[in-house]
Amino acid sequence: MMANLVFEGGMARIQHGFAQCHDAIIRRSLVLDALNLRSGERVLEQGCGGGFYTYETARFVGPQGRIAAIDISADQITAARERCREMSWVECQIANANELPYGDGEFDAVFGVQVLEYIQDFEKALREAQRVLRPGGRFLNLATNWTSLLWHSGHPERMRRVLEALATHAPYPDLPVILASALRRAGLQPLCQQGVPIINTSYNENRRSFWIARLTANFARGRGGVSDDEIDEWLAEFPALDAKGEFFFSTTTVLTEAIKVS
Ligand SMILES: C[S@@+](CC[C@H](N)C(=O)[O-])C[C@H]1O[C@@H](n2cnc3c(N)ncnc32)[C@H](O)[C@@H]1O
């Protein structure tokens, strides 16, 4: 059964922990390179979370530009506003990516990182992105193929059940697989999709796996027949493997670029 993951309170803190880790910094750098923002550009960020991308994109466009960052969660917008408090050209507001409070053609670029997969009607969010982009404007999305998570474990059956429970945390756990055709239906022309793999062979708070483990433990506990004890044992296995030099985790995230042709 589908359950909406809400990024407030503890989940927002887990998301901020991930956003500050080494693997997230590398990912952010790839997204920023692909966006290739110029001074003065107007940019909309869908589902800005704690504003880590918002802050960096604002430094590219500068005070002559404009960053509009939206998120459906009040906790996330409070954090994003705080992060960007000294940047008058950044506006962070609570809004739904499916009903953007902006006019047609207002933006040179629209981007979202790990957000569309959480939206039930994500095709509406694509149509909204297309509407607010100017002709020639660019669209960028980064999303994980959540079923690509691979962890070394001495308990493969427990691992399988935990990952099955986690897969229900998003309506579209493998969004990149269906994104290109959805972009075309929304009037955006896909340009390319490239994989951004992450491999962790150590387990600590500077690694993506550490934060995915926390998100998984929070979400999967009590779902799909996964008990509290099983989740605690599942979580305890990783530091034990790490201590023996046997920790392994890999996943693939996909960067998708598109353009509004006219
Ligand atoms: C995994 S977090 C990613 C946050 C940020 N993009 C980052 O990578 O640091 C997903 C975010 O999307 C937001 N979100 C989910 N559904 C949304 C919607 N319909 N409209 C706007 N934001 C939404 C959540 O509140 C959450 O902050």
Side-chain angles (χ1 to χ4, degrees), residues 15 45-50 69-72 76 95 97 111-115:
Q15 199 263 313
E45 181 180 2
Q46 306 160 306
C48 64
I70 60 136
D71 199 288
I72 206 154
Q76 297 283 50
F111 79 101
V113 174
Q114 304 271 176
V115 52

Side-chain angles (χ1 to χ4, degrees), residues 13 17 127 173 216:
R13 281 192 292 280
R127 290 195 293 278
T216 305

Side-chain angles (χ1 to χ4, degrees), residues 3-262:
N4 273 346
L5 183 57
V6 177
F7 287 89
E8 303 212 326
M11 278 296 185
R13 281 192 292 280
I14 288 172
Q15 199 263 313
H16 298 177
F18 166 63
Q20 293 174 85
C21 83
H22 175 71
D23 295 319
I25 291 166
I26 291 174
R27 260 168 42 139
R28 201 147 52 236
S29 158
L30 290 169
V31 169
L32 294 168
D33 274 348
L35 274 172
N36 194 23
L37 296 171
R38 297 184 297 276
S39 290
E41 286 200 297
R42 304 155 301 164
V43 180
L44 170 67
E45 181 180 2
Q46 306 160 306
C48 64
F52 294 89
Y53 283 87
T54 321
Y55 179 84
E56 295 296 336
T57 51
R59 294 181 66 199
F60 279 95
V61 303
Q64 313 309 320
R66 173 188 179 200
I67 304 288
I70 60 136
D71 199 288
I72 206 154
S73 149
D75 283 1
Q76 297 283 50
I77 286 299
T78 301
R81 280 186 183 142
E82 175 59 20
R83 193 165 319 283
C84 302
R85 65 184 177 284
E86 286 172 7
M87 297 164 142
S88 58
W89 61 101
V90 174
E91 61 204 55
C92 304
Q93 63 170 311
I94 301 170
N96 190 331
N98 280 0
E99 290 164 26
L100 295 175
Y102 304 107
D104 296 355
E106 274 190 41
F107 296 99
D108 301 298
V110 173
F111 79 101
V113 174
Q114 304 271 176
V115 52
L116 292 181
E117 58 266 52
Y118 295 107
I119 303 180
Q120 194 66 50
D121 187 1
F122 80 95
E123 297 216 22
K124 191 162 184 215
L126 293 182
R127 290 195 293 278
E128 277 293 84
Q130 192 272 357
R131 180 182 68 75
V132 301
L133 273 174
R134 68 163 169 81
R138 49 210 197 275
F139 174 87
L140 189 146
N141 175 269
L142 188 80
T144 293
N145 278 331
W146 283 96
T147 60
S148 72
L149 263 52
L150 188 59
W151 310 70
H152 176 209
S153 171
H155 303 271
E157 175 56 18
R158 182 179 67 204
M159 177 63 75
R160 186 187 63 71
R161 290 191 304 107
V162 171
L163 292 183
E164 266 179 25
L166 174 68
T168 65
H169 87 291
Y172 300 96
D174 291 329
L175 181 85
V177 174
I178 52 171
L179 190 52
S181 51
L183 283 166
R184 282 189 208 98
R185 281 194 291 279
L188 292 164
Q189 179 61 47
L191 295 177
C192 66
Q193 290 193 289
Q194 57 172 302
V196 184
I198 292 178
I199 293 180
N200 291 170
T201 54
S202 64
Y203 183 74
N204 54 61
E205 65 179 38
N206 224 3
R207 290 301 188 187
R208 177 159 166 75
S209 50
F210 181 92
W211 298 102
I212 290 189
R214 265 139 197 81
L215 181 146
T216 305
N218 265 23
F219 184 83
R221 200 177 282 276
R223 289 180 207 269
V226 179
S227 69
D228 279 0
D229 284 353
E230 274 182 303
I231 280 290
D232 292 341
E233 288 160 14
W234 178 83
L235 209 46
E237 189 182 13
F238 303 132
L241 286 171
D242 191 36
K244 293 187 285 183
E246 292 178 8
F247 180 78
F248 182 93
F249 164 90
S250 74
T251 184
T252 300
T253 294
V254 178
L255 184 63
T256 303
E257 293 177 60
I259 191 165
K260 175 171 171 174
V261 176
S262 58

